[in-house]
Amino acid sequence: MYWDVTEVKAEKNLILYVRFADGTSGRVRFMPQHLTGVFEPLKDPQFFAQVFIDSGVVTWPNEVDLAPDAMYQEIKEHGEWVLQ
C-alpha cells in the first residue's frame, strides 16, 4: 500500500522521521501527555530508539505500533502527525 512505511528514524525529543512507499515523508511528534498506557514505554529514550518497521508498520518491542493509514493522512496534509 502507498501508506506502508519504508523508512523510520528515531530523532531526539520524541520525534520520528518516516518515509512511505509513495515517497511521502514527514515527522511524527509525541507529546508527553500522550505517553500513557501502551505508549508509556516510549518515555524511555533507549526504548524509543528501538523503533523498526514490521510489514510497513512503525513498531517497537512488545507490540507497540502506530496506524500507518492515519499517520500517512496527517503527514500528507500537514507534514507531521502530532500525537497529543
Side-chain angles (χ1 to χ4, degrees):
M1 294 293 292
Y2 59 89
W3 64 55
D4 284 351
V5 176
T6 58
E7 181 182 357
V8 64
K9 293 180 193 172
E11 298 181 345
K12 60 183 176 181
N13 301 325
L14 298 172
I15 298 172
L16 296 175
Y17 168 82
V18 295
R19 180 180 308 277
F20 298 90
D22 72 350
T24 298
S25 65
R27 288 187 166 63
V28 177
R29 182 182 314 270
F30 291 85
M31 303 308 287
Q33 64 268 23
H34 184 78
L35 300 178
T36 61
V38 68
F39 293 111
E40 181 96 21
L42 300 181
K43 290 179 180 178
D44 176 354
Q46 291 180 344
F47 186 85
F48 190 79
Q50 293 180 45
V51 66
F52 63 97
I53 300 168
D54 183 17
S55 301
V57 177
V58 171
T59 307
W60 286 269
N62 301 328
E63 300 180 15
V64 177
D65 61 24
L66 299 176
D69 53 340
M71 183 185 342
Y72 178 86
Q73 175 105 8
E74 285 296 311
I75 288 175
K76 187 80 170 173
E77 291 178 17
H78 307 288
E80 73 175 354
W81 187 26
V82 180
L83 295 165
Q84 329 191 45

